[in-house]
Amino acid sequence: MDTRYLHTLEYDKILERLARHTSFSASRELALALQPSTDPAEVRYRQQETSEARAFQDIRPDVSVGGARDVRPLVRRAYLGATLLPADLLELRETLISARTLKRALGRLGSQFPILANHAQWIEECTDLVDEIGRCINDRGDVLDSASPALARIRQELAGARDRLMERLQRLIASSEVGPYLQEALITQRGGRYVIPIKAEAKGRVQGIVHDQSASGATVFIEPLATVELNNRWRELQLEEQHEIERILSALTARVATEGALIERTVEMLARLDLAFAKGRYSYELRAVQPRLWLPGQPLEPPAGGRSRAEPGAPRAEAQAEGGAAPRKLRAPLQLFRARHPLLPPETVVPIDVWLGGDFRVLVITGPNTGGKTVALKTVGLLALMHQAGLHLPVDADSVLPVFTGVYADIGDEQSIEQSLSTFSSHMSTIIDILNRAGPGSLVLLDELGAGTDPVEGSALARAIIRHLLTRDLLAVATTHYSELKLFAYATPGVSNASVEFDVETLSPTFELTIGLPGRSNALAIASRLGLAQELIEEARSLISPQDREADALLAEIKQAREEAALALQRARSAEEEARARAEALARELAAIDETRRQVIEDARAEVQRDLEVVRGELRALSAALASETLTQEWLRQAADRVRQLEKEAVSAPPPPPPAPPPGTLEPGDTVLVTSLGQTGELVALDGDEAEVQIGSFRLRTQVAGLELRHRGAARPAESGRLRVTAQTATPGLELDLRGRRVDEALPELDKYLDSAYLAGLPSVRIIHGKGTGTLRQVVRDALAQHPLIASYRPGEREEGGDGVTVVSFVAA
């Protein structure tokens, strides 16, 4: 892509911010050189790489390329034969260790992060070189004695020679021949040789070599003749040590040169991985996501309600309807939802919704100055470039972008004094270049199209340019102040209006973008708010053509109707959500009731079975006793009583559910099982594949396929005990709504309802009293606290109605 247009959209600033997240110079160079790709496969790969890097840093924040350096210049020096210093070798070793750590961490997680693991597998650990540098050089950069046997021997001899030299000098200082002439009783160095300070006037009394003199001339530094040979030997050993160190460093440098290609490749892979991590960190900073990728030929959803043109707020309304639970339908190749300009503070920037390429391919934005038209234009262009560079975008996750073959932008005032170009000429030169370059699959962004010249000619030129863009298979966004373009966009297929809104009350733009409506003229309203005389306002209004006044009034009505529709839609969705929550809570309560009923039956069966086992055991004992003829009359009487008692208990146990009748055609009046709820009810009506079933106090509509026949045209047979009461007593419903009742009305109704619910065998019910002032709620709960049938009560959960509901549990029967 042409770097001129990338600069116009401030793409270079994005790269600078990305580069701040890199860890060393090699990856920083890659970040600053990152260019958008026009290959869809490459774009998808880059986006996935960024997603992997962000996810990897979430689970392994301790792993990075920390400590790595761009050591490729050191490798090149090694190629040329220049000896590397210990600090250079340590830097190279640290880089290879960082590479090894990262490679092993990614290797263990290769199945989760295949792209990053693929980069890491090209890293060479160079283990032998790392170990050899560590063996020869310590962390302070000193060459160790263990680097070679020769160095160890030389240093041992060097230490002995120095000790002998120092011992001889100490004896001289303490002797009567030298001691009286010392300036100070110390040993120092001059020119790499050990000397002693002698008073200047006594230098002839101490035989030796003068190496230096103090600044004042009062002291001369003499190497006594008695220590010259010892000094010579010490110095010779120092030179041998230096030569051996140089030999060792040369050998290490040669090994670096031998493995130079592997080291360079490792640095390149480290740079690619660090760039990926930088993209992940930048994604986190922007609170960005990976958008969906649209590919040519991918089908689009038709406009809702048969629209052939963009209507105000359609995708936004759909987004609200879906509530973020599922991706929005694909209506256009470019759909950006809640898109934020990445260079503006995320706390203050106003997000916008933009879509382009479905039932229109050119978008014309109108609105006041400083209202956000140019920001919207740059947002679209800059996010397209970032997407193709593999950067995540500050948008909703179900946003969609295609891969553009080119992005072209004419934004801002580019007039040049040196080239004698006016604002209009500068814009026109850029537009001509864009028209010569932009082809199928391009994105064209034109700011203040036709501005800077006569309004009539500028408007005509703008319309002609838009018509020409429509003949090409590309997408375009243009901003303008010309009213003629509003009508042109409305009347021209493939073109849609959009506007940035302005708050007349605060005299400030809202920066919100509305697609489908052109911008209204606010000049008179603003002038009136600023205090211009009303007679001047009226005179100006009278000079406006009736058609323009009617158009402006129509726009106002459309805007108001749109806002009212959005508000009504929001209320309807809230009511729908509340109804859904209540239905789910009711279904859970019904399931709980059914489970309780089933559990009662199973417990009764288990108890009867246990008692029968006891009877069988006693009968076996009786048989054994009869066989042995050891029974007494009393024992027989007790056994008979025990058997009769068990028979009574067995009779009182609830019978098992009757077997299901053979399958057949369902008819109204049948008792059926709703398999999705696990509840039985009466089949009320059939309508093709659907049926209405009465369960307790409510009726539901469900599929016939989800019903199972239980009884033909009659109620279920009554069951004994508590369950018999349930079957014979009509249920009063699972909830009582007391909202709007006075206290003297509510209490009798509550008491009657609780009695009916208890007799119907309901384990729990809901009392709806609302929140209000809290008086009715308190009276209800006080009554519940004293009611003999109530085991417990609690405020409702959020999905049950919150504090406006009290959930009541009855005592066991």
Side-chain angles (χ1 to χ4, degrees):
M1 292 190 182
D2 194 319
T3 56
R4 170 187 175 186
Y5 300 111
L6 300 187
H7 178 74
T8 298
L9 291 168
E10 301 180 294
Y11 177 71
D12 49 339
K13 293 184 179 179
I14 294 293
L15 297 185
E16 290 173 3
R17 296 195 177 189
L18 173 64
R20 295 176 195 167
H21 294 280
T22 58
S23 300
F24 70 121
S25 58
S27 54
R28 177 177 175 81
E29 290 175 5
L30 291 181
L32 294 175
L34 183 63
Q35 293 293 304
S37 172
T38 57
D39 179 9
E42 175 67 17
V43 171
R44 187 191 299 275
Y45 179 86
R46 291 183 179 187
Q47 286 287 335
Q48 186 58 35
E49 180 185 60
T50 304
S51 297
E52 284 190 15
R54 178 167 177 175
F56 178 77
Q57 292 173 100
D58 286 340
I59 65 173
R60 290 297 306 271
D62 56 311
V63 178
S64 68
V65 299
R69 299 289 183 271
D70 186 2
V71 296
R72 290 176 296 182
L74 299 180
V75 174
R76 287 192 286 270
R77 284 174 52 195
Y79 285 153
L80 297 174
T83 302
L84 299 180
L85 299 176
D88 298 333
L89 292 167
L90 286 178
E91 188 173 285
L92 196 148
R93 178 175 181 268
E94 187 68 25
T95 298
L96 292 175
I97 290 175
S98 296
R100 179 180 64 192
T101 302
L102 184 58
K103 177 181 180 180
R104 294 179 181 179
L106 286 170
R108 288 190 291 268
L109 299 171
S111 59
Q112 293 178 248
F113 309 104
I115 295 177
L116 300 181
N118 182 63
H119 293 336
Q121 74 175 357
W122 292 99
I123 290 176
E124 292 292 339
E125 297 186 10
C126 301
T127 305
D128 293 342
L129 178 59
V130 170
D131 293 344
E132 184 65 12
I133 294 175
R135 186 184 68 82
C136 296
I137 304 172
N138 65 18
D139 292 339
R140 296 189 302 274
D142 301 325
V143 179
L144 299 171
D145 296 353
S146 58
S148 74
L151 182 61
R153 175 187 57 79
I154 291 170
R155 285 181 172 172
Q156 185 177 8
E157 293 181 6
L158 185 63
R162 182 182 181 279
D163 289 343
R164 290 190 294 274
L165 174 59
M166 299 301 290
E167 182 182 354
R168 186 63 180 274
L169 286 171
Q170 288 290 351
R171 287 203 302 268
L172 286 173
I173 290 174
S175 68
S176 58
E177 292 85 2
V178 176
Y181 309 114
L182 290 172
Q183 191 71 269
E184 274 186 277
L186 59 81
I187 301 170
T188 185
Q189 285 191 45
R190 287 296 186 273
R193 300 179 75 86
Y194 283 107
V195 296
I196 55 177
I198 303 296
K199 297 174 182 178
E201 62 271 15
K203 66 179 179 179
R205 296 183 178 275
V206 179
Q207 293 183 344
I209 303 170
V210 177
H211 284 277
D212 199 2
Q213 182 178 2
S214 66
S216 65
T219 305
V220 291
F221 298 92
I222 294 177
E223 178 186 357
L225 289 178
T227 62
V228 169
E229 286 302 321
L230 292 174
N231 251 326
N232 287 344
R233 180 57 182 161
W234 178 69
R235 186 60 182 156
E236 288 170 1
L237 290 171
Q238 281 185 314
L239 294 175
E240 287 183 29
E241 178 191 34
Q242 186 61 38
H243 291 155
E244 181 62 16
I245 289 175
E246 290 177 357
R247 187 195 66 77
I248 292 169
L249 294 179
S250 296
L252 291 174
T253 300
R255 295 195 63 168
V256 170
T258 301
E259 301 192 39
L262 301 180
I263 296 172
E264 288 178 327
R265 188 175 72 191
T266 294
V267 172
E268 291 169 1
M269 289 300 105
L270 280 176
R272 290 190 65 175
L273 285 168
D274 190 48
L275 175 60
F277 293 148
K279 293 192 294 181
R281 287 188 286 268
Y282 191 37
S283 170
Y284 186 82
E285 177 187 300
L286 288 177
R287 293 179 283 182
V289 297
Q290 177 181 347
R292 292 190 289 166
L293 176 64
W294 182 85
L295 298 174
Q298 191 171 348
L300 301 176
E301 294 286 341
R307 288 192 306 269
S308 60
R309 301 290 312 281
E311 292 184 5
R316 180 179 300 181
E318 176 187 288
Q320 293 170 343
E322 296 182 7
R328 297 170 173 91
K329 293 180 180 179
L330 187 59
R331 294 279 171 80
L334 187 149
Q335 292 181 172
L336 298 176
F337 299 107
R338 297 192 59 77
R340 293 178 279 110
H341 193 291
L343 297 177
L344 297 178
E347 299 80 15
T348 58
V349 65
V350 177
I352 60 173
D353 292 351
V354 185
W355 57 96
L356 191 61
D359 42 354
F360 61 90
R361 291 185 288 112
V362 178
L363 188 65
V364 178
I365 304 176
T366 53
N369 287 327
T370 69
K373 298 191 303 297
T374 303
V375 170
L377 204 65
K378 285 187 173 182
T379 299
V380 174
L382 196 50
L383 294 188
L385 295 175
M386 290 174 63
H387 172 241
Q388 294 180 215
L391 300 176
H392 285 177
L393 307 184
V395 297
D396 279 359
D398 49 0
S399 297
V400 183
L401 287 99
V403 175
F404 294 106
T405 58
V407 178
Y408 305 93
D410 174 41
I411 298 175
D413 187 357
E414 301 286 346
Q415 67 173 310
S416 169
I417 297 176
E418 292 84 359
Q419 299 179 16
S420 300
L421 295 177
S422 66
T423 299
F424 175 76
S425 300
S426 174
H427 280 296
M428 194 50 54
S429 297
T430 302
I431 291 173
I432 291 171
D433 182 69
I434 291 174
L435 294 178
N436 289 333
R437 291 170 175 264
S442 297
L443 174 64
V444 175
L445 307 169
L446 303 174
D447 191 26
E448 298 297 346
L449 182 59
T453 187
D454 177 74
V456 176
E457 294 184 351
S459 172
L461 191 59
R463 282 174 283 170
I465 291 172
I466 292 175
R467 286 187 186 277
H468 180 73
L469 292 175
L470 282 173
T471 64
R472 304 189 181 188
D473 187 17
L474 53 75
L475 303 181
V477 183
T479 67
T480 183
H481 279 97
Y482 294 137
S483 298
E484 293 84 353
L485 286 184
K486 302 177 188 179
L487 301 176
F488 170 77
Y490 184 79
T492 305
V495 185
S496 177
N497 275 302
S499 61
V500 286
E501 299 181 3
F502 187 87
D503 190 337
V504 179
E505 297 299 321
T506 62
L507 299 181
S508 60
T510 65
F511 301 105
E512 294 180 358
L513 182 68
T514 302
I515 293 182
L517 285 179
R520 295 178 55 204
S521 173
N522 295 291
L524 297 182
I526 293 172
S528 177
R529 289 282 297 169
L530 291 175
L532 186 64
Q534 192 62 32
E535 57 269 19
L536 295 179
I537 299 292
E538 294 301 327
E539 182 177 354
R541 184 173 285 111
S542 66
L543 297 175
I544 300 174
S545 67
Q547 295 84 353
D548 289 341
R549 289 200 300 271
E550 290 176 4
D552 198 53
L554 179 60
L555 288 176
E557 292 176 4
I558 292 174
K559 184 175 183 297
Q560 182 179 357
R562 178 176 175 271
E563 291 174 349
E564 292 175 353
L567 182 59
L569 186 61
Q570 182 178 1
R571 289 173 177 168
R573 287 198 192 97
S574 298
E576 181 182 359
E577 287 296 325
E578 182 179 355
R580 184 183 297 114
R582 293 181 64 182
E584 291 173 355
L586 182 60
R588 287 194 296 270
E589 291 181 10
L590 287 173
I593 292 171
D594 186 64
E595 181 61 27
T596 302
R597 182 180 292 119
R598 292 176 187 272
Q599 190 62 45
V600 168
I601 295 173
E602 290 176 3
D603 291 347
R605 290 174 182 167
E607 185 176 354
V608 169
Q609 187 64 33
R610 287 193 298 269
D611 289 344
L612 289 176
E613 289 297 328
V614 173
V615 171
R616 292 190 184 102
E618 293 183 356
L619 289 175
R620 284 192 295 269
L622 178 61
S623 297
L626 285 172
S628 62
E629 299 181 354
T630 58
L631 296 177
T632 65
Q633 291 294 327
E634 180 62 24
W635 192 95
L636 289 173
R637 186 183 62 76
Q638 292 177 357
D641 291 342
R642 178 60 177 159
V643 169
R644 284 193 294 272
Q645 179 64 27
L646 291 175
E647 287 176 350
K648 292 179 181 179
E649 294 177 358
V651 169
S652 64
T665 304
L666 297 177
E667 297 178 357
D670 290 346
T671 300
V672 294
L673 171 68
V674 182
T675 56
S676 60
L677 297 178
Q679 298 296 312
T680 57
E682 180 182 352
L683 179 61
V684 177
L686 289 169
D687 183 11
D689 294 336
E690 294 186 341
E692 289 189 8
V693 180
Q694 185 79 29
I695 300 178
S697 62
F698 71 95
R699 180 177 296 187
L700 64 86
R701 192 172 185 86
T702 184
Q703 296 292 320
V704 174
L707 301 179
E708 293 182 5
L709 179 63
R710 283 291 179 262
H711 303 284
R712 281 291 185 192
R716 296 176 60 182
E719 297 172 342
S720 61
R722 170 71 184 274
L723 297 179
R724 182 188 304 116
V725 174
T726 302
Q728 293 175 350
T729 305
T731 175
L734 292 174
E735 62 183 28
L736 172 63
D737 192 347
L738 297 177
R739 289 177 294 184
R741 305 286 201 281
R742 296 194 304 273
V743 171
D744 57 346
E745 296 173 337
L747 290 179
E749 187 173 351
L750 173 64
D751 193 67
K752 178 180 178 182
Y753 171 79
L754 293 175
D755 291 342
S756 300
Y758 177 82
L759 291 175
L762 300 180
S764 64
V765 294
R766 295 195 314 161
I767 309 300
I768 304 175
H769 41 64
K771 297 179 181 178
T773 62
T775 302
L776 183 58
R777 177 180 63 227
Q778 189 59 45
V779 169
V780 167
R781 291 179 179 175
D782 288 343
L784 293 174
Q786 300 173 7
H787 201 287
L789 298 179
I790 305 306
S792 64
Y793 62 92
R794 60 174 175 82
E797 299 293 342
R798 183 179 65 82
E799 66 271 16
E800 295 173 327
D803 210 33
V805 169
T806 298
V807 180
V808 178
S809 297
F810 292 102
V811 297

